[in-house]
Amino acid sequence: MAVRKVARLPERVLKIRCDELGESDAGELVQDLLDTMEVAPACVGLAAPQIGVSQRVIVVDVSAHPKTTACNGTIVLVDPVVVEYSGRVVSREGCMSVPDLTANVARATEITVTGRDAAGEEVQIHTMGFETRALQHEIDHLDGMLILDRVESVTSDVFRRKVYK
Ligand SMILES: [Zn+2]
């Protein structure tokens, strides 16, 4: 287990489609993702390409976030697939791989995702609200999609992050 360096644009690993993990052991990768998420302030999720691994694994934990309504605790998903989604709302998002910017991104408001956990067991997550947004954001990473790829307008939907001193 280890805290890993988080990849930032324009690193290529962030812009390519990740491979399915399939039967391979996800244990070490999952632990590195959890360790790296834990030390990052206000981080609610991380995808494997963000620590330089081009495989379809994400972790999400919105339990400490003020916008959280529905919450499934610490979610680990290997080879996640969105099987159902509904609703649409635009809200501001940030990303550790795009540290200087935030963006207005439209996401579904309710989602069902299937995949496997670190032990290879099938899991299905159904959730609403902010956790839905976090899951979609991380799953986007697995397809090389970043918040800047999701905005309707780069001139009106992208914002420089405020620096608080
Ligand atoms: Zn991100």
Side-chain angles (χ1 to χ4, degrees):
M1 53 171 119
V3 173
R4 304 270 289 266
K5 186 170 170 287
V6 174
R8 293 179 173 188
L9 271 185
E11 287 184 53
R12 186 175 139 73
V13 68
L14 296 169
K15 298 297 295 174
I16 54 177
R17 187 185 185 279
C18 300
D19 296 325
E20 269 81 20
L21 205 72
E23 300 296 305
S24 309
D25 179 34
E28 192 178 334
L29 175 55
V30 166
Q31 195 57 53
D32 286 358
L33 284 167
L34 292 171
D35 291 345
T36 307
M37 175 166 71
E38 195 181 297
V39 299
C43 179
V44 294
L46 210 55
Q50 291 185 279
I51 60 168
V53 179
S54 193
Q55 291 182 316
R56 304 184 77 81
V57 180
I58 63 167
V59 296
V60 166
D61 189 345
V62 298
S63 52
H65 197 279
K67 285 185 188 165
T68 296
T69 47
C71 179
N72 288 277
T74 303
I75 299 172
V76 170
L77 284 170
V78 174
D79 296 341
V81 176
V82 177
V83 292
E84 214 169 11
Y85 64 92
S86 61
R88 181 183 186 276
V89 68
V90 175
S91 187
R92 196 75 70 89
E93 280 182 28
C95 177
M96 286 175 75
S97 297
V98 193
D100 301 329
L101 302 171
T102 61
N104 283 335
V105 180
R107 302 284 187 193
T109 54
E110 189 168 349
I111 198 173
T112 304
V113 183
T114 60
R116 295 185 306 284
D117 64 15
E121 298 292 322
E122 302 270 341
V123 287
Q124 177 166 313
I125 304 282
H126 173 255
T127 192
M128 287 170 279
F130 184 69
E131 193 173 49
T132 302
R133 177 168 294 275
L135 281 167
Q136 291 170 94
H137 177 114
E138 300 313 331
I139 291 170
D140 261 1
H141 273 297
L142 306 181
D143 293 315
M145 291 285 286
L146 299 169
I147 53 176
L148 302 180
D149 302 308
R150 285 281 183 206
V151 298
E152 283 183 16
S153 159
V154 287
T155 51
S156 59
D157 290 328
V158 179
F159 308 89
R160 207 159 268 290
R161 230 186 232 287
K162 288 191 184 75
V163 180
Y164 297 99
K165 289 183 178 168

